[in-house]
Amino acid sequence: DAKSGLMKLGINPGEGQRLELSGILYHDDEDIIATDVDNGNLEYRADHLIRKNTESAHYTFDSPKTDLLNFSATAYRDETTVTDDGQEYDRTSKANLVTTGIDLYNTFKFKTSWAQHALTVGTEYYHDAGKGRVDGDPEPQNPDATQDVVGLYSQYRITLFDQLSITPGLRWDYFATHPDSNDFDDQHHDRLTPKVGVDWQATDWLSLYGSYSQGYRAPSIRELYISGTHFNIFPGANNVFVTNPDLKPESTKTWEGGLRLDFEDVVMKGDNLRFSGSYFDTRAKNFIDGDVVMDFATFTFTTTPINVPRARIRGAEMGLSYDSDYVFLDGGWSRIRGDNTTDDVHLTSIPADKFVATVGGKVPAIDVAFGINDEYAWGQHRVDDDPGIETDHYNVVGLFASWAPDEGILKGVRLDAGIDNLFDKNYQRFLAFQDSPGRDYHIALSYGTSF
């Protein structure tokens, strides 16, 4: 039994100003088969309750008097609570995560005789607070801890001849993590990272881009302090999480390049054909990965978040889309490879190669659109010594249709319906560790208006 509600309110308090408030409520009550990972993966029936509340406020001011004031401010709070309450089995687990944050920036725009300029300066901050309980006691799989993250950033975009844009940028990040347990020390780190990007609109239909950037990611609360049982192998043998409170932040250096093609009036008047392709190459230091040990010789079964001293991740993706008054299609292909270059083995967190496609039609006279979507993923067997996490290829097909009148008394009404996993395939996404849902029917009715 799932219930959700959305409230959005937009106000223009003055010229160039916009204030938007939004709130989302989501309740999901399910009757599930839960697992007691601390008791041999014992399965039991439980009430699975999800409660998620999100509130945000977004204010923008694009000054009508000067291009030097283009201000944006966003404040938000998100709370998620997941509870498993045993029906005939005395066990109640509850995990809670609250994220509160703010993001502020301003873009100063001005022109000179030889170029257009845009300088953006901003800051962001968010606070994570997580905790877990099993029958009122701390749950090691959801550790009690808080984390504060601060970022200061700026970028300067110069556009020459209305075609060539160069955008250098600089960002400073700081994070501090505070575990509730006295067994671990607080952590805090900071780093300054640069970037530069180039975008060239070579013709009306061709643009090329390239960039170099450095990245920085702090380990999450779960990555730092998770412990307890991961999964049961057989009676008397469990794979357990090994806490790694000394996990370091990961840093990256990335080169990326690509192109975009955009054509209009290709087959019929008003249609549009777009193609994009890109390639990236990332060299990482202290890359955060998972080390799964399944050693039956020594009876050692562990899962540990670790830092890979040196890693390389590279990949490519392509996308093609076509849209007209009667036909539309979207397609995308992605391939990523990742290696622990320190030990010359594959990284275990790299997703499978994937191709997705959507083909559909429109009937403008009755405001109806319909189509079919397809997702194909290749098998992911690049796991070296962890054969238990391999996944086979799968192909999942879905159908959808929508009706959205654009005039008359029903303008603003939208009806959506669809079938996911049409052929009820049994499949598993890489690192999901459980089967994905079977055939699923859904229907949605919505209405929106403005005044």
Side-chain angles (χ1 to χ4, degrees):
D1 182 15
K3 300 176 182 177
S4 62
L6 166 67
M7 182 280 294
K8 295 182 70 176
L9 174 65
I11 304 171
N12 297 325
E15 187 178 3
Q17 300 183 62
R18 177 73 173 174
L19 175 63
E20 294 184 352
L21 306 175
S22 67
I24 301 174
L25 302 177
Y26 178 77
H27 288 188
D28 189 338
D29 299 349
E30 299 181 42
D31 181 7
I32 68 167
I33 301 297
T35 303
D36 186 350
V37 296
D38 297 313
N39 189 18
N41 274 11
L42 177 69
E43 294 185 342
Y44 61 97
R45 300 195 72 86
D47 295 320
H48 182 69
L49 313 176
I50 301 175
R51 300 291 184 264
K52 183 177 179 67
N53 303 327
T54 304
E55 304 89 32
S56 67
H58 180 56
Y59 172 78
T60 58
F61 179 38
D62 186 359
S63 174
K65 298 181 179 180
T66 175
D67 290 335
L68 298 178
L69 184 55
N70 300 274
F71 178 73
S72 173
T74 302
Y76 59 91
R77 183 182 186 275
D78 181 273
E79 180 175 8
T80 302
T81 302
V82 180
T83 305
D84 286 340
D85 190 4
Q87 296 177 357
E88 298 178 356
Y89 184 68
D90 189 16
R91 185 178 191 270
T92 301
S93 65
K94 179 180 290 187
N96 177 263
L97 177 64
V98 179
T99 300
T100 306
I102 190 169
D103 186 4
L104 308 170
Y105 68 87
N106 186 74
T107 299
F108 305 86
K109 297 180 181 179
F110 58 97
K111 296 180 181 181
T112 60
S113 59
W114 53 277
Q116 301 177 41
H117 309 263
L119 172 64
T120 299
V121 179
T123 182
E124 64 175 333
Y125 163 80
Y126 68 86
H127 173 81
D128 277 341
K131 65 179 180 180
R133 293 292 183 269
V134 175
D135 297 329
D137 297 322
E139 181 184 21
Q141 291 86 354
N142 291 285
D144 292 6
T146 62
Q147 186 174 69
D148 295 280
V149 178
V150 179
L152 300 173
Y153 56 90
S154 65
Q155 72 172 29
Y156 180 42
R157 182 180 178 91
I158 308 171
T159 303
L160 306 171
F161 319 115
D162 294 327
Q163 288 183 309
L164 181 65
S165 296
I166 304 172
T167 309
L170 196 63
R171 181 183 176 93
W172 176 75
D173 286 287
Y174 170 84
F175 83 92
T177 304
H178 311 285
D180 286 359
S181 171
N182 293 325
D183 296 334
F184 308 117
D185 296 328
D186 292 353
Q187 275 208 34
H188 58 88
H189 295 275
D190 71 294
R191 187 177 178 89
L192 192 65
T193 54
K195 74 167 187 177
V196 62
V198 178
D199 197 312
W200 178 34
Q201 187 71 44
T203 68
D204 290 339
W205 50 269
L206 170 64
S207 62
L208 305 170
Y209 64 92
S211 68
Y212 169 78
S213 63
Q214 294 185 12
Y216 179 75
R217 185 178 82 83
S220 68
I221 292 172
R222 282 176 59 88
E223 288 171 332
L224 283 167
Y225 308 116
I226 192 170
S227 61
T229 303
H230 187 187
F231 57 88
N232 179 253
I233 305 168
F234 52 80
N238 292 330
N239 185 289
V240 297
F241 287 110
V242 178
T243 304
N244 186 1
D246 297 322
L247 204 62
K248 299 180 179 67
E250 70 177 38
S251 58
T252 60
K253 297 179 179 179
T254 300
W255 292 92
E256 182 177 4
L259 60 83
R260 295 180 288 260
L261 304 176
D262 192 340
F263 302 97
E264 296 182 354
D265 301 330
V266 179
V267 179
M268 62 183 69
K269 187 175 179 57
D271 67 0
N272 181 268
L273 177 66
R274 293 179 179 176
F275 172 83
S276 63
S278 65
Y279 176 83
F280 73 90
D281 192 325
T282 297
R283 308 297 173 103
K285 179 181 178 182
N286 293 323
F287 181 79
I288 299 174
D289 199 20
D291 182 29
V292 182
V293 176
M294 299 289 288
D295 190 340
F296 288 88
T298 61
F299 224 62
T300 303
F301 312 114
T302 59
T303 300
T304 310
I306 63 169
N307 286 119
V308 176
R310 293 288 186 272
R312 182 188 180 194
I313 304 172
R314 65 273 186 206
E317 62 180 12
M318 292 187 294
L320 178 69
S321 66
Y322 175 79
D323 188 41
S324 70
D325 290 337
Y326 303 99
V327 178
F328 62 92
L329 67 87
D330 282 287
W333 168 85
S334 63
R335 172 175 174 158
I336 303 175
R337 293 291 181 267
D339 297 295
N340 174 342
T341 55
T342 302
D343 301 323
D344 195 24
V345 295
H346 296 300
L347 295 173
T348 60
S349 56
I350 303 301
D353 300 348
K354 184 180 290 188
F355 173 77
V356 294
T358 299
V359 179
K362 304 176 185 178
V363 186
I366 56 176
D367 302 312
V368 167
F370 58 91
I372 182 171
N373 51 53
D374 182 89
E375 177 185 337
Y376 180 86
W378 282 260
Q380 171 56 301
H381 305 293
R382 300 177 299 280
V383 295
D384 293 309
D385 297 329
D386 303 322
I389 66 174
E390 293 183 357
T391 52
D392 294 327
H393 72 276
Y394 63 83
N395 190 63
V396 183
V397 178
L399 301 176
F400 64 90
S402 65
W403 176 58
D406 63 359
E407 60 183 7
I409 61 173
L410 294 179
K411 182 179 180 180
V413 173
R414 182 181 178 93
L415 178 65
D416 290 277
I419 306 175
D420 297 331
N421 196 354
L422 177 64
F423 300 108
D424 202 23
K425 293 286 187 178
N426 183 25
Y427 69 102
Q428 185 181 117
R429 289 188 166 88
F430 185 61
L431 295 182
F433 300 111
Q434 61 181 351
D435 290 341
S436 293
R439 186 183 296 114
D440 181 29
Y441 305 89
H442 57 87
I443 186 169
L445 178 66
S446 60
Y447 175 74
T449 189
S450 60
F451 52 89

